[in-house]
Amino acid sequence: MSNRVCIKKGLLTLMGAKFVGKQGHPTRFSMCLRSKTTSAQYVATRFRDPTFEKLMDNYKNLVKVIAVQDLILANPKNPSVSIDFLSKLSQKLHLNRGATAFLRKFPHIFHIYYDPSKLKPFCRLTDAALDVSRQEAVAINASLPDVVGRLVRILSMSASRMVPLRAVFKVWKELGLPDDFEDSVISANSGVFQLFEAHEPNTHLLKLVDGACNNGFRAAVEDWRVVECCKEDCSVDRMEMQFNFKQGYPPGMRLTKNFKAKVKEWQRLPYVGPYEVVGEKKKSKAGMMALEKRAVSIVHEFLSLTVEKMVEVEKISQFRNWFGIDLNIRDLFLDHPGIFYLSTKGKRHTVFLREAYERGCLIEPNPIYDARRRLLDLVVLGRRGLPAVNSKFQDTSGCNETGQEENQQSHDSLPS
């Protein structure tokens, strides 16, 4: 299907939406043809949600912190790394002002010290950061049965019941997989998963063993529909609800009556669910729109399976062909701003599942999310609560502990 707008005979794709208002400000949401609009321009004209943008301001630093943390924890016997080594990786890790300057921004997470025996400075994690790391590891190990179920569901959304192993490696943190998941999850469940070499060199495919697929899977959106139908004040006809998705828009986004009517029409459109087998693809407008809605249901379900209900667009794009999605994934997110939110903070495109968040936090948190949120709190805390440090390579500010008052300050600076 074309990435451009298709509005004809009452059929709708939400492609080509743009925002127009006074003095060009993006305040009003209207439908228009964007036959000459590039994908980059489409991203630039999207409506910004201040809550998600504020969250991503902190997350872009968290991503860098996790990258350095992983390097430190890579050596269990001596969890530390030399500053010289980090400095060589500064460009790759996007530490724009250098490794030392970056580490000093987060003294509640990193402790810089001088090793007299090696005559060079090193960095290790503070006690607070180590505690968060242990909490996350315990949560991941406790959720191994759920992890198996997530992988089975992802493979079940593929028509061939297989995906490249490299694609799973891209999202192993998002799915809450342990770092040794090849052994602890895949090999340990040989009756469910099978690894074999693909036709491409050095490429392996992860396949669902015949008989392991449960065709009775119910998508997350269907649970929401059941809850909505059971409400006494439900204003939507129950027959129409069976194809609906939850829609939510940020404050300040004014929707025209025409747009609301088009969304209502799209909501009524039947489609094949993410775990159902697709028949012959129809090239009619109605058939193409049904395939687009199926693509929405697949990425909606994928995001529902992630720990934080968010993922980088580049990572989920690795599954596009295997899920039978013939659309530009990024444009798909932009076409449906009531379901997804796309942020471009931190030189990366990250998509959120709108309905899973409220005021910048997950509505239904889980133990892994709670641990990662604690680390985010330490990132937001920055240098607050610490005295000035005069030593060149050593912080003696008691950065290994953070009080309840400091944690409260970090929460106040997060979306709430």
Side-chain angles (χ1 to χ4, degrees):
M1 182 179 180
S2 171
N3 291 332
R4 309 307 182 191
V5 170
C6 295
I7 306 176
K8 187 176 182 180
K9 298 181 180 179
L11 297 175
L12 164 73
T13 63
L14 297 183
M15 298 180 176
K18 78 172 183 179
F19 310 93
V20 293
K22 293 182 178 180
Q23 298 178 351
H25 292 302
T27 55
R28 183 176 295 277
F29 197 14
S30 63
M31 302 302 298
C32 70
L33 295 176
R34 62 179 184 96
S35 57
K36 295 183 180 180
T37 303
T38 66
S39 185
Q41 290 172 327
Y42 194 20
V43 172
T45 57
R46 76 193 188 285
F47 191 92
R48 268 72 163 180
D49 188 318
T51 302
F52 283 113
E53 291 300 306
K54 186 177 181 180
L55 177 61
M56 280 305 300
D57 271 332
N58 298 317
Y59 255 99
K60 66 183 181 183
N61 286 323
L62 177 64
V63 171
K64 299 177 184 179
V65 165
I66 291 176
V68 176
Q69 176 185 265
D70 289 344
L71 289 174
I72 294 174
L73 296 176
N75 183 9
K77 294 182 179 179
N78 182 24
S80 63
V81 64
S82 71
I83 303 300
D84 291 343
F85 179 72
L86 284 179
S87 297
K88 294 177 181 178
L89 296 176
S90 291
Q91 187 173 1
K92 185 176 182 180
L93 296 175
H94 303 291
L95 310 182
N96 300 330
R97 298 183 62 186
T100 303
F102 176 80
L103 297 174
R104 288 189 174 280
K105 287 175 61 178
F106 308 105
H108 293 279
I109 301 173
F110 303 115
H111 177 65
I112 303 174
Y113 65 97
Y114 187 81
D115 189 336
S117 62
K118 297 182 180 179
L119 302 177
K120 61 172 65 176
F122 280 76
C123 172
R124 62 176 173 81
L125 296 180
T126 63
D127 291 344
L130 282 172
D131 184 56
V132 171
S133 178
R134 294 189 194 102
Q135 179 184 344
E136 181 179 355
V138 170
I140 289 175
N141 289 331
S143 67
L144 283 181
D146 296 331
V147 165
V148 173
R150 289 186 203 125
L151 272 183
V152 170
R153 282 176 172 266
I154 287 176
L155 290 167
S156 298
M157 287 192 286
S158 169
S160 60
R161 301 295 186 260
M162 67 177 73
V163 296
L165 184 61
R166 65 171 181 269
V168 180
F169 266 110
K170 287 277 188 179
V171 295
W172 69 277
K173 277 186 175 291
E174 286 80 356
L175 295 177
L177 294 168
D179 52 8
D180 64 340
F181 72 89
E182 279 191 90
D183 297 323
S184 59
V185 176
I186 296 176
S187 298
N189 294 275
S190 56
V192 180
F193 306 113
Q194 180 183 0
L195 269 179
F196 61 94
E197 293 186 4
H199 298 297
E200 302 177 21
N202 301 321
T203 302
H204 291 80
L205 294 176
L206 177 62
K207 183 180 181 181
L208 202 58
V209 173
D210 293 340
C213 179
N214 183 359
N215 293 325
F217 283 141
R218 187 167 70 176
V221 69
E222 295 181 21
D223 294 332
W224 169 77
R225 291 168 185 159
V226 171
V227 173
E228 287 296 305
C229 285
C230 293
K231 291 182 178 179
E232 294 182 358
D233 59 345
C234 180
S235 59
V236 182
D237 184 85
R238 277 149 176 82
M239 292 301 294
E240 294 182 6
M241 181 64 73
Q242 63 178 321
F243 302 120
N244 274 19
F245 284 83
K246 186 174 182 178
Q247 302 276 345
Y249 301 94
M253 181 183 284
R254 293 180 294 164
L255 310 179
T256 65
K257 290 183 179 180
N258 181 58
F259 173 75
K260 291 179 180 179
K262 296 299 183 180
V263 171
K264 186 175 181 179
E265 186 69 22
W266 184 87
Q267 291 277 52
R268 295 173 177 173
L269 185 69
Y271 71 98
V272 180
Y275 298 112
E276 300 175 41
V277 179
V278 181
E280 184 180 355
K281 295 183 179 181
K282 299 179 181 179
K283 296 184 179 181
S284 63
K285 287 291 183 182
M288 296 301 290
M289 291 195 53
L291 287 177
E292 184 212 11
K293 193 166 185 179
R294 171 178 165 80
V296 169
S297 72
I298 290 175
V299 294
H300 180 284
E301 182 68 6
F302 189 97
L303 285 168
S304 298
L305 294 173
T306 61
V307 170
E308 299 174 84
K309 316 307 176 193
M310 57 179 280
V311 69
E312 290 180 33
V313 175
E314 184 272 333
K315 293 181 178 181
I316 193 174
S317 296
Q318 301 288 322
F319 297 88
R320 184 174 68 89
N321 293 332
W322 297 88
F323 289 161
I325 299 176
D326 296 329
L327 305 169
N328 183 309
I329 289 283
R330 184 177 60 178
D331 285 356
L332 189 70
F333 295 137
L334 293 171
D335 293 339
H336 300 274
I339 304 174
F340 312 109
Y341 181 73
L342 181 71
S343 174
T344 60
K345 290 281 186 179
K347 297 181 180 179
R348 65 189 73 227
H349 290 186
T350 305
V351 63
F352 293 85
L353 185 61
R354 274 193 178 278
E355 65 193 64
Y357 279 82
E358 184 175 10
R359 296 182 177 181
C361 298
L362 273 189
I363 297 174
E364 298 180 1
N366 54 74
I368 302 177
Y369 169 82
D370 288 337
R372 293 176 182 175
R373 192 75 183 192
R374 279 188 62 197
L375 184 60
L376 180 62
D377 290 344
L378 295 178
V379 170
V380 175
L381 201 57
R383 296 194 59 85
R384 279 180 292 179
L386 299 176
V389 179
N390 296 322
S391 173
K392 184 176 181 180
F393 291 122
Q394 184 173 3
D395 285 340
T396 57
S397 55
C399 62
N400 294 350
E401 296 181 0
T402 56
Q404 292 181 354
E405 181 179 353
E406 292 171 338
N407 280 329
Q408 183 62 42
Q409 289 178 346
S410 69
H411 277 290
D412 291 342
S413 65
L414 287 170
S416 59

